[in-house]
Amino acid sequence: MDGSNGCEARINSFALVSYLSGPLADLLDEIRHDFAPDSRAKAHLTILPPRLLASFGSPTAVKEALQQLQARLQDFAPFDVELGDIEVFPDTHVIYVSIKSGFAELERMHQALNAGCLTCQEPHTYHPHVTVVQELAPADVLNAAQFSRWRWSEFKHSRTVRVDRLTFVQNTIENSWTDLAMLELGSPVIRHA
């Protein structure tokens, strides 16, 4: 997801992510920039892939979505996710980091949150991962994946991510994402970004 300063025209496209931080995020962002230098994306786990809000025209649509998320996230305690290997989705050619542990918890969270005003019939089965590189020409995917695997193999820091807060984001007409609010797991607290 491309990060944004919030000045672009927002559209009816929303997602829920958990941003990575520290050396792990730095490495994955560097790899992405090697292939997409103009990308403003920040390394993240996607909990709810991009979706429309049916009530988007309503002035309370975003507020209702945040209230729903807040209520449902109280059922989830913070947890750790360990990242695995660099892989490639065969049909989309997206290069990603697999999930070694925490996969089932992410699936359970997705299932619980993909409901109510945030329900979406997604084009692909939810498969927790961290996107590294996407939208490459098919001929470039093999070399990009090999390069990403080499960089990943050289990484000597922890590959564990703490999922304790999520960020509700909205896309813009320029296809960059604006942070709307941060939500804590296991807590009724919402912090506006």
Side-chain angles (χ1 to χ4, degrees), residues 1-172:
M1 308 233 149
D2 286 340
S4 164
N5 62 11
C7 296
E8 293 93 353
R10 296 178 186 178
I11 61 173
N12 186 10
S13 179
F14 297 85
L16 187 66
V17 301
S18 177
Y19 288 119
L20 280 58
S21 61
L24 185 57
D26 293 343
L27 172 71
L28 295 173
D29 289 343
E30 283 175 22
I31 295 171
R32 180 180 312 101
H33 289 131
D34 287 338
F35 297 97
D38 296 332
S39 173
R40 292 183 288 174
K42 297 185 283 186
H44 64 275
L45 284 162
T46 300
I47 310 303
L48 291 179
R51 65 206 46 243
L52 305 175
L53 292 182
S55 61
F56 183 64
S58 162
T60 60
V62 172
K63 181 180 177 183
E64 290 167 5
L66 286 170
Q67 288 172 339
Q68 177 183 308
L69 289 169
Q70 177 184 10
R72 291 174 187 256
L73 285 173
Q74 290 181 50
D75 295 336
F76 291 90
F79 61 99
D80 289 333
V81 171
E82 186 180 357
L83 301 183
D85 298 323
I86 299 284
E87 299 182 20
V88 179
F89 286 120
D91 22 333
T92 61
H93 303 293
V94 169
I95 300 168
Y96 68 96
V97 183
S98 66
I99 304 301
K100 189 172 182 179
S101 67
F103 193 95
E105 188 67 10
L106 289 165
E107 282 186 315
R108 190 171 77 79
M109 183 179 291
H110 172 267
Q111 184 176 9
L113 300 177
N114 185 28
C117 64
L118 290 164
T119 299
C120 176
Q121 184 65 32
E122 297 172 26
H124 304 284
T125 301
Y126 178 69
H127 183 100
H129 67 281
V130 176
T131 298
V132 178
V133 183
Q134 61 186 356
E135 299 176 0
L136 292 176
D140 296 332
V141 172
L142 180 60
N143 286 338
Q146 289 174 336
F147 175 79
S148 300
R149 287 182 183 113
W150 169 73
R151 291 289 310 273
W152 188 240
S153 73
E154 297 290 311
F155 185 68
K156 303 302 180 203
H157 299 279
S158 173
R159 296 179 183 199
T160 299
V161 176
R162 183 74 172 163
V163 177
D164 57 358
R165 67 182 61 131
L166 305 177
T167 304
F168 191 56
V169 297
Q170 183 177 8
N171 205 354
T172 68

